[in-house]
Amino acid sequence: MDSPSRDEVVKGAFQHRDALLSTAFALLRDWVKAEDVVQDAFIVVMNKWADFRPGTSLFLWVRQIVHFKALEAARARKMSPVEEDLLMRVAASMERGLDEEIADRQRLRRQALQRCMAHLDPKSAGLLSGFYTESLCCESLAQLQRRSVNAVRLALSRLRKQLQECVRRKMPALEARG
């Protein structure tokens, strides 16, 4: 089996970004720190790509790097022994529960969600972006959009249901394409 190039290894690792981010978040319970850990792991992948063994799982290799980077980040926060024990238990659970099939399904789900979001009107997309990307509370969004807080909550609820249904409809087509 031919050894993959650096670009192939790096590109393959980036395809699993969402699953890796979920792994880091499960360990750290902080999206910003999880994002930092995944970025640090990608730097390791770019520098150590030649260490990847063809015929083994690229996802599992990169996930292990994320796991160790998350542990480093947790230790840097000077976790208590109880927190560190809990972290190790979560990590063990993740090892058993998250495999390549789940990572691929997450990637397809993200693609479906992106396609569904592309069909949203700008006001709805802005509302979702404000809530999820900018972490604005409903009160802040209500002021920005000159709506009541309840109207914002209702709009977010409807948008989530609309996107869930859209993703549910698109997934079979994406899975069929592989």
Side-chain angles (χ1 to χ4, degrees), residues 7-173:
D7 289 345
E8 290 170 326
V9 171
V10 171
K11 185 178 177 184
F14 274 99
Q15 288 181 341
H16 299 296
R17 183 186 175 283
D18 290 342
L20 297 169
L21 188 58
S22 295
T23 298
F25 178 77
L27 295 169
L28 299 170
R29 307 307 297 169
D30 181 319
W31 284 113
V32 173
K33 287 184 180 24
E35 188 76 49
D36 291 344
V37 161
V38 171
Q39 291 303 319
D40 289 346
F42 285 150
I43 291 169
V44 171
V45 168
M46 286 187 267
N47 292 328
K48 304 267 186 178
W49 69 273
D51 292 350
F52 174 68
R53 293 186 320 252
T56 62
S57 169
L58 178 62
F59 170 70
L60 294 177
W61 181 67
V62 179
R63 187 182 72 186
Q64 186 174 13
I65 294 169
V66 167
H67 173 82
F68 288 125
K69 288 291 181 185
L71 288 175
E72 282 177 19
R75 286 189 183 108
R77 289 191 342 212
K78 295 181 174 52
M79 297 175 66
S80 72
V82 172
E83 289 176 311
E84 200 160 321
D85 180 55
L86 178 60
L87 178 65
M88 295 305 288
R89 288 178 193 215
V90 169
S93 176
M94 293 293 293
E95 293 281 324
R96 290 189 302 271
L98 189 62
D99 60 8
E100 281 188 75
E101 184 178 321
I102 292 171
D104 287 340
R105 187 150 173 82
Q106 273 188 317
R107 183 179 49 78
L108 291 174
R109 217 182 221 20
R110 187 188 79 243
Q111 288 175 357
L113 180 59
Q114 287 171 338
R115 290 178 182 178
C116 292
M117 289 189 68
H119 297 292
L120 291 177
D121 62 271
K123 188 174 182 180
S124 296
L127 184 63
L128 287 170
S129 176
F131 189 77
Y132 289 105
T133 306
E134 299 168 39
S135 301
L136 296 175
C137 64
C138 290
E139 290 78 10
S140 297
L141 290 167
Q143 285 179 338
L144 287 171
Q145 293 201 347
R146 294 192 173 113
R147 298 166 81 176
S148 71
V149 174
N150 284 338
V152 167
R153 286 189 177 120
L154 185 59
L156 284 169
S157 177
R158 286 180 180 155
L159 285 168
R160 281 190 287 264
K161 286 178 186 172
Q162 178 185 348
L163 289 171
Q164 280 178 328
E165 180 59 29
C166 180
V167 167
R168 189 186 62 72
R169 282 192 319 267
K170 290 194 180 297
M171 282 297 290

